[in-house]
Amino acid sequence: MEPTATNTIAPMLAKAVPTVPEPDKVAGGLSYEPKWDGFRAIVYATASTPGVVDSVEIGSRGSKMLTRYFPELVEAFTRILPGPCVLDGEIVVPTGEPGKQRLDWEALSQRIHPAASRVKLLAEETPATFVAFDLLALGEESYLDRPFADRRAALEEFAGGLPAPIELTRTTRDVDLARKWLVEFEGAGLDGVVAKPLAAPYAQNKRTMLKIKHHRTADVVALGYRIHTSGRGVGSLLVGLYGSDGELRNIGGVSAFTDKRRLELIDELDPLVLRDDDGQTVTGETERSRFSSGKDVSFVRLRPERVLEVRYDQMEGMRFRHTVQFERWRPDRDARSCTYDQLDRPIAYDLADVLD
């Protein structure tokens, strides 16, 4: 299936649930697998000669094609795949020495770069892996209407013995083992567990699957805020933690406030707004990234005195991996007590053991 504007496949999505569900909660049962923290990708491998893959395109969850950013995967798909197909999976970048490998989101995100020379260099230095977890077409035959149990069996037959950098995600129907994975695999940089209805067809752009992610809380310091894109109210709070050197570091943002709450926060935070000798609001700018190009990165600076509790799923280096959620204000906490020491770090787990 060659991707065009009219026949690209929209990935099936997952809705968040708080715990790993029992298999009998869904008609036909559930299959569980690790939740990979990478770029969702649908691979279209086509052939002008029967049985020989000579063209590969890599689609993303959105409309952006990822083909040019992963030349090493395109080469591998062309060389390794036994025939034309459409695969659903995740592109990840493993880093670390043997026995201590884990997923590296920062190394993966660097691959989205406009310079072909830079992409080529990174493809050599930090090559990507494709983890396949669904088969959507084989040859000219679509598998979208088949139940997942059948698609998984066909995927194992088609791709189960392929060499790296193509990997087949492991699955289980044992809910207790899935709960164990949720705890253990985080140490290798994974994002949680996904539960898939065994009897369900591939539902494009619908949240048919269930995802269970890690959730923790931390007390952080409000150090600034951005105005909402509407121009009214607080769009997001910038929060920080104190390092061992005593410096307050920006570690992420808190958003998803209601319209009413955005306006209330302007008044609540006004006493903390830093102002210069002329009474003008002091602003700052966060560091730009390849994803913030063209966006307003300025923010209103606050005196670092107010503490809030937030919910987060995981860390990436010294920052929250995703936007975090506001839980409550903590007037009982001193801002200086909000350090990195409070964060719950997962026990290290070798990525090779997840892929085994």
Side-chain angles (χ1 to χ4, degrees), residues 1 3 9 40-46 53 55-60 65 73-74 77-78 81 84-91 130 132 134-137 166:
M1 179 188 292
I9 296 174
R40 183 73 175 276
I42 294 185
V43 175
Y44 303 84
T46 58
V53 172
S55 177
V56 171
E57 294 289 344
I58 306 174
S60 70
M65 298 301 286
L73 289 183
V74 173
F77 291 139
T78 304
L81 288 175
C85 60
V86 181
L87 299 173
D88 188 5
E90 199 96 357
I91 296 174
F130 178 74
D134 213 335
L135 179 64
L136 309 187
I166 301 175

Side-chain angles (χ1 to χ4, degrees), residues 221 291 294:
V221 183
F291 301 112

Side-chain angles (χ1 to χ4, degrees), residues 8-67:
T8 52
I9 296 174
M12 184 165 64
L13 306 176
K15 63 180 178 181
V17 293
T19 59
V20 179
E22 294 286 346
D24 58 3
K25 296 295 184 182
V26 175
L30 291 168
S31 174
Y32 308 94
E33 61 189 57
K35 186 178 185 302
W36 298 90
D37 189 19
F39 291 163
R40 183 73 175 276
I42 294 185
V43 175
Y44 303 84
T46 58
S48 55
T49 302
V52 178
V53 172
D54 53 21
S55 177
V56 171
E57 294 289 344
I58 306 174
S60 70
R61 177 172 168 176
S63 58
K64 188 181 186 73
M65 298 301 286
L66 299 175
T67 312

